[in-house]
C-alpha cells in the first residue's frame, strides 16, 4: 500500500499535496454524481428543451460574470479559507435543494435558481483551488501534480460519478444531491489539513487590499497578462482552440445519431472512449515528461487536435469515431496537464488567481461561442461542417503560434 501511495503522490511533494489531491478526488466524485443527476432533475421538472439548455448555461454563465472578481479575491485573501468558505456555501445550496425535493416543493424555478447559485460558488472554489498547487510543490513537480489532479477528475468526475449519479437518482431524486453534500463537506475537511506559506505582499501594495478597488486589481492582472507574451499567447490559444473544439462537440450527439447511425448507446460509447483514453494517459504522463520537452508535447497535442477534427469530418463508421475520441481523450489529458503546468510556472504567486480566472473565462467563453458556431454551421451546411470549421480554424491557429510554443513552454515567473 505504501508503494502505491508513493507512486501516486511521492513523499517529496509533501503532505500538503496529498491532502489537496484527496480533497480534489473526493469533490470530483460528488461533482460527477451531479453531472448526471442535475440534467435528470431538470428533465423531470420540464419538457422544454429551452429550459434544459438554460440550466446548463446557468452553470457556465457565472464564469463570465464573476470570473475576474474571483481571481482578485484569490490573490487578496487567504486561499485555503476562501476554498473552504466557497465549498461550504455550495454545500448549503445543495442541501437546501435536497430539502425541497424531499418535502415535495421542487419545481423548475427552484432547480434553475439552485443551478445558478451552485455555479457562482464553483467559480470562487475552482478559481482559488487551482492556485494552491504552485504553493505546495516545486516547479519541477507541477507536471506530476497536475497530472494526478487531472486523473482524479477523469476517474471520479467522468467515469465513476455519472453512472453512480444516474443510479442514485433512479432510487430517489434527493439521493445523488445528498451524496454530493457529503463529498463536498469531506473535501472541506481535507482541504483544512493543507498548510500554506503566506504570500509576501507585492512591493508598494496594501497587504490587506483595503485601499485598492477590485477594478484596479483586475486591470493590473489583465495588464500583466497582456505584457507577458508567453502567458498572453497561451491564453489566446486556449480561447481559440476551445471555440474550434466546442463547435463539433456541441452537435456530437446529432453527428453520432444521424450521420454515423450509432444510436443512443453508441453516443454514450463515444464519450466513454474519450474518458478511457484520458485515464490511460495518466499512467504514461510521467514518462512523457521525462522523455520529451514541454514544447514537443504542446506541439504534438495541438497537431493531434487539428487531425482530430479532420478524422471526425471524414469518418463514416462508429468504430472510426470511437478510436478518434479515444485518441482525443489521451492527448487532451496531456495538453490539459502541460498547459496548466506551463501557466503556473510562468505566473508569479501573487497573480495566480487573476491569471487562472482569465484562463477559465477563455475556456468557458470559447465553449459558449463554439457551441453557437457549431449549431449554426450544422443547421445550414450539414453535420460535418463544424468538424471542417474546427480543422481549418485549429490548423491556422497552430501555424501562427508554432514557433512561439518553444518560448511559451520555457517561460518562468520572475
Amino acid at each position: 500500500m505504501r508503494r502505491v501511495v508513493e507512486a501516486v503522490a511521492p513523499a517529496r511533494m509533501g503532505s500538503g499535496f496529498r491532502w489537496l489531491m484527496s480533497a480534489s478526488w473526493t469533490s470530483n466524485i460528488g461533482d460527477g454524481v451531479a453531472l448526471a443527476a442535475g440534467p435528470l432533475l431538470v428533465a423531470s421538472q420540464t419538457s422544454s428543451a429551452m429550459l434544459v439548455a438554460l440550466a446548463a448555461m446557468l452553470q457556465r454563465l457565472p464564469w463570465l460574470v464573476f470570473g475576474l472578481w474571483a481571481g482578485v479575491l484569490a490573490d487578496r485573501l487567504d486561499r485555503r479559507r476562501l476554498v473552504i468558505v466557497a465549498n461550504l456555501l455550495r454545500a448549503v445550496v445543495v442541501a437546501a435543494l435536497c430539502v425541497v425535493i424531499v418535502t415535495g416543493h421542487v419545481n423548475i424555478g427552484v432547480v434553475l435558481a439552485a443551478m445558478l447559485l451552485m455555479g457562482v460558488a464553483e467559480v470562487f472554489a475552482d478559481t482559488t483551488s487551482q492556485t494552491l498547487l504552485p504553493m505546495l510543490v516545486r516547479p519541477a513537480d507541477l507536471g506530476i501534480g497536475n497530472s494526478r489532479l487531472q486523473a482524479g477528475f477523469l476517474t471520479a468526475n467522468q467515469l465513476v460519478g455519472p453512472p453512480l449519479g444516474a443510479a442514485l437518482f433512479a432510487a430517489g431524486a434527493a439521493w445523488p444531491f445528498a451524496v454530493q453534500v457529503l463529498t463536498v463537506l469531506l473535501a472541506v475537511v481535507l482541504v483544512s489539513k493543507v498548510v500554506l506559506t503566506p504570500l509576501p505582499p507585492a512591493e508598494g501594495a496594501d497587504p490587506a487590499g483595503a485601499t485598492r478597488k477590485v477594478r484596479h486589481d483586475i486591470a493590473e492582472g489583465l495588464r500583466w497578462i497582456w505584457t507577458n507574451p508567453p502567458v498572453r499567447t497561451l491564453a489566446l490559444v486556449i480561447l481559440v482552440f476551445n471555440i474550434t473544439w466546442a463547435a463539433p462537440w456541441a452537435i456530437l450527439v446529432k453527428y453520432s445519431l444521424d450521420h454515423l447511425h450509432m444510436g443512443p448507446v453508441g453516443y454514450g460509447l463515444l464519450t466513454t472512449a474519450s474518458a478511457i483514453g484520458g485515464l490511460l494517459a495518466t499512467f504514461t504522463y510521467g514518462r512523457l515528461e521525462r522523455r520529451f520537452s514541454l514544447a514537443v508535447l504542446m506541439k504534438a497535442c495541438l497537431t493531434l487536435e487539428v487531425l482530430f477534427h479532420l478524422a471526425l469530418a471524414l469518418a463514416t463508421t462508429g468504430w472510426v469515431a470511437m478510436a478518434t475520441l479515444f485518441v482525443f481523450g489521451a492527448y487532451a489529458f496531456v495538453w490539459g496537464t502541460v498547459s496548466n503546468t506551463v501557466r503556473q510556472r510562468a505566473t508569479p504567486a501573487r497573480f495566480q488567481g487573476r491569471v487562472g480566472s482569465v484562463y477559465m473565462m477563455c475556456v468557458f467563453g470559447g465553449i459558449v461561442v463554439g457551441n453557437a458556431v457549431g449549431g449554426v454551421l450544422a443547421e445550414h451546411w450539414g453535420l460535418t461542417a463544424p468538424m471542417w470549421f474546427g480543422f481549418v480554424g485549429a490548423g491556422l491557429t497552430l501555424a501562427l503560434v508554432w514557433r512561439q510554443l518553444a518560448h511559451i513552454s520555457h517561460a518562468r515567473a520572475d
Side-chain angles (χ1 to χ4, degrees):
M1 184 64 181
R2 186 175 299 175
R3 289 183 178 180
V4 174
V5 173
E6 177 65 21
V8 174
R12 71 175 187 276
M13 298 177 72
S15 61
F17 170 72
R18 290 180 174 178
W19 288 121
L20 177 64
M21 184 186 72
S22 300
S24 176
W25 287 13
T26 301
S27 179
N28 270 305
I29 293 175
D31 291 344
V33 166
L35 190 65
L40 289 172
L41 180 62
V42 173
S44 70
Q45 300 300 311
T46 180
S47 60
S48 169
M50 183 182 72
L51 290 178
V52 172
L54 179 61
M57 188 192 74
L58 286 176
Q59 289 189 293
R60 290 174 176 172
L61 183 63
W63 280 102
L64 304 181
V65 178
F66 299 105
L68 294 176
W69 191 29
V72 170
L73 293 184
D75 288 339
R76 280 191 180 188
L77 305 178
D78 183 307
R79 290 172 173 172
R80 184 189 64 170
R81 188 172 300 170
L82 186 54
V83 171
I84 290 173
V85 171
N87 276 319
L88 285 176
L89 291 175
R90 185 155 64 110
V92 168
V93 173
V94 180
L97 180 61
C98 285
V99 172
V100 171
I101 294 173
V102 170
T103 58
H105 293 90
V106 65
N107 57 60
I108 188 60
V110 170
V111 175
L112 292 178
M115 294 290 182
L116 178 61
L117 292 175
M118 283 189 283
V120 173
E122 286 175 2
V123 171
F124 292 92
D126 293 351
T127 296
T128 310
S129 294
Q130 64 182 338
T131 68
L132 300 183
L133 182 63
M135 300 178 69
L136 293 172
V137 304
R138 299 174 303 138
D141 287 325
L142 280 173
I144 295 299
N146 278 307
S147 71
R148 298 300 185 263
L149 297 182
Q150 285 274 92
F153 171 79
L154 285 169
T155 304
N157 191 287
Q158 301 292 298
L159 287 178
V160 176
L164 176 60
L168 288 171
F169 189 86
W175 283 113
F177 302 102
V179 170
Q180 187 183 19
V181 171
L182 293 176
T183 57
V184 171
L185 292 177
L186 179 56
V188 166
V189 173
L190 294 171
V191 168
S192 69
K193 303 289 186 181
V194 176
V195 178
L196 299 174
T197 303
L199 292 176
E203 185 177 351
D206 174 13
T211 61
R212 298 198 312 272
K213 294 183 178 180
V214 170
R215 65 172 178 267
H216 173 276
D217 283 5
I218 290 175
E220 183 185 32
L222 293 175
R223 186 164 53 248
W224 185 88
I225 293 172
W226 188 253
T227 56
N228 188 292
V231 176
R232 181 185 68 219
T233 302
L234 186 57
L236 293 174
V237 167
I238 288 174
L239 173 62
V240 174
F241 271 80
N242 269 284
I243 293 174
T244 56
W245 166 79
W249 202 267
I251 53 93
L252 188 65
V253 61
K254 291 284 290 180
Y255 169 83
S256 65
L257 295 176
D258 299 341
H259 181 71
L260 299 179
H261 308 291
M262 298 179 67
V265 174
Y267 170 67
L269 290 176
L270 284 181
T271 56
T272 301
S274 174
I276 293 175
L279 185 60
L280 292 180
T282 65
F283 299 105
T284 61
Y285 180 80
R287 270 179 279 177
L288 289 174
E289 189 180 61
R290 288 191 297 270
R291 184 168 181 179
F292 302 103
S293 69
L294 293 185
V296 170
L297 292 177
M298 293 176 78
K299 290 178 179 179
C301 289
L302 295 183
T303 300
L304 287 171
E305 175 75 0
V306 176
L307 297 177
F308 161 75
H309 296 296
L310 178 62
L312 286 184
L314 298 176
T316 56
T317 66
W319 292 109
V320 172
M322 286 178 59
T324 302
L325 266 293
F326 174 84
V327 175
F328 164 78
Y331 77 74
F333 169 85
V334 176
W335 166 257
T337 301
V338 170
S339 62
N340 282 336
T341 300
V342 169
R343 171 177 57 79
Q344 290 166 350
R345 287 179 180 174
T347 305
R350 70 187 185 94
F351 283 111
Q352 287 283 352
R354 282 165 284 180
V355 173
S357 69
V358 170
Y359 273 62
M360 292 304 295
M361 290 181 69
C362 288
V363 169
F364 286 101
I367 290 174
V368 170
V369 174
N371 285 343
V373 170
V376 171
L377 291 175
E379 186 72 21
H380 290 86
W381 289 284
L383 293 175
T384 60
M387 286 71 176
W388 288 112
F389 165 78
F391 171 63
V392 174
L396 290 175
T397 304
L398 180 58
L400 291 173
V401 302
W402 184 266
R403 291 186 177 181
Q404 301 176 51
L405 290 176
H407 303 292
I408 294 172
S409 64
H410 291 99
R412 291 293 184 274
D414 294 334

